[in-house]
Each structure stands twice: as C-alpha cells, then as structure tokens.
Amino acid sequence: MTNRSDRRVAGVVEQDITMQCIDSLGRGHDLETVFSYQRSDPFAVTITFVTHEGDLPWTFSRDLLAHGMSEPTGDGDVHVCPSLDSKGRAVVIVELSSPDGHLITQAHIKDVRQFITRSFALVPEGEESQHMPIDDMILQLLTA
C-alpha cells in the first residue's frame, strides 16, 4: 500500500504508507495508514490507521513529525524519532500514548519525508498562520 495513492484534492495532501506496528517482542506487523495534511488545518497532520473495525485517526503537530525525522521530538501523547529497522534501513518511529494504551510504530523515512515535503509544498514551513481560517472561527464563536 505504500505510496500507492497520490490523491489530488485542492488544499489536501494524502499518502498511503504501510507502517510497522512493533509488538512487545520487537517484531513488526504491517499496519496500513493514510497520512494526511490539510491547508485548512495548517499546523497539524493526521495519521489514520485503517483497521477492520474502522478507521482510527490520530492528529498531531506537523512540526513534530518533520523534526522527529532528524532528532527525538515530542512531549506527552506523541513522540517521534529517527532510527534504523532490523535490516539497517532508516525509519521514523512514532509512539502514541493514550489512556487506552500505547502504540509503537515505524515507517520508512523516505515515505514520511515524501509526505512532509508535499505538505510543505502546499503550505511552506513558517507560513501556516497565513492559512488559518480566522474569519470562519470568529463567525463560529459569534453564532455559538
């Protein structure tokens, strides 16, 4: 499934990436995901885990994912860091924690880099605030 899709929707970047879910013995199990980025939410990325029970989205900082490819990054629920897999290939580790559990995943760094590069082409780093829908947020607050 990795990079199979390159969906083109205005203001959206999506990329299918096969990640490895790392079990307690250090073994990897394929986990299909969709990485997505939207211009309308310029500071965030979402990893949607595609399961038989339904899709499970997890949204967090785009900067955290981008910086985590080169150095350990993150506090709280999400940690991202570069690493090598059991075959010596460059990967990025994404650890997710919630009250319901803890998940350690890894993806080939080239796939994540391609996604991040595409998201920066849509909204360059440092220009996120220019794409915030401030008028829409104010309207929602005033009509609530």
Side-chain angles (χ1 to χ4, degrees):
M1 184 166 153
T2 301
N3 297 331
R4 182 183 68 194
S5 80
D6 184 9
R7 292 179 279 280
R8 303 270 183 202
V9 177
V12 176
V13 171
E14 288 187 332
Q15 184 173 329
D16 294 347
I17 296 178
T18 300
M19 298 184 81
Q20 295 284 309
C21 174
I22 308 303
D23 68 17
S24 60
L25 298 175
R27 296 176 301 206
H29 305 278
D30 284 351
L31 185 59
E32 302 304 329
T33 67
V34 179
F35 281 55
S36 59
Y37 176 79
Q38 298 182 31
R39 182 181 305 151
S40 62
D41 192 3
F43 291 101
V45 295
T46 299
I47 299 176
T48 300
F49 298 93
V50 181
T51 72
H52 297 294
E53 292 81 35
D55 294 349
L56 302 168
W58 197 294
T59 302
F60 58 96
S61 165
R62 177 174 73 161
D63 283 347
L64 193 150
L65 183 61
H67 294 141
M69 289 189 301
S70 59
E71 63 184 355
T73 306
D75 291 320
D77 297 349
V78 181
H79 297 259
V80 182
C81 68
S83 189
L84 297 175
D85 68 9
S86 61
K87 296 178 182 174
R89 296 175 297 201
V91 294
V92 61
I93 303 289
V94 179
E95 286 187 65
L96 306 171
S97 297
S98 79
D100 296 326
H102 185 81
L103 178 66
I104 300 173
T105 63
Q106 68 183 24
H108 294 287
I109 205 160
K110 66 178 179 55
D111 296 334
V112 177
R113 185 174 288 119
Q114 180 184 28
F115 168 75
I116 286 293
T117 299
R118 291 175 58 221
S119 80
F120 285 146
L122 185 61
V123 176
E125 189 172 20
E127 294 183 15
E128 294 90 351
S129 62
Q130 296 174 26
H131 297 275
M132 291 294 297
I134 300 297
D135 292 338
D136 293 341
M137 290 190 290
I138 292 171
L139 182 61
Q140 286 177 356
L141 289 171
L142 293 175
T143 58

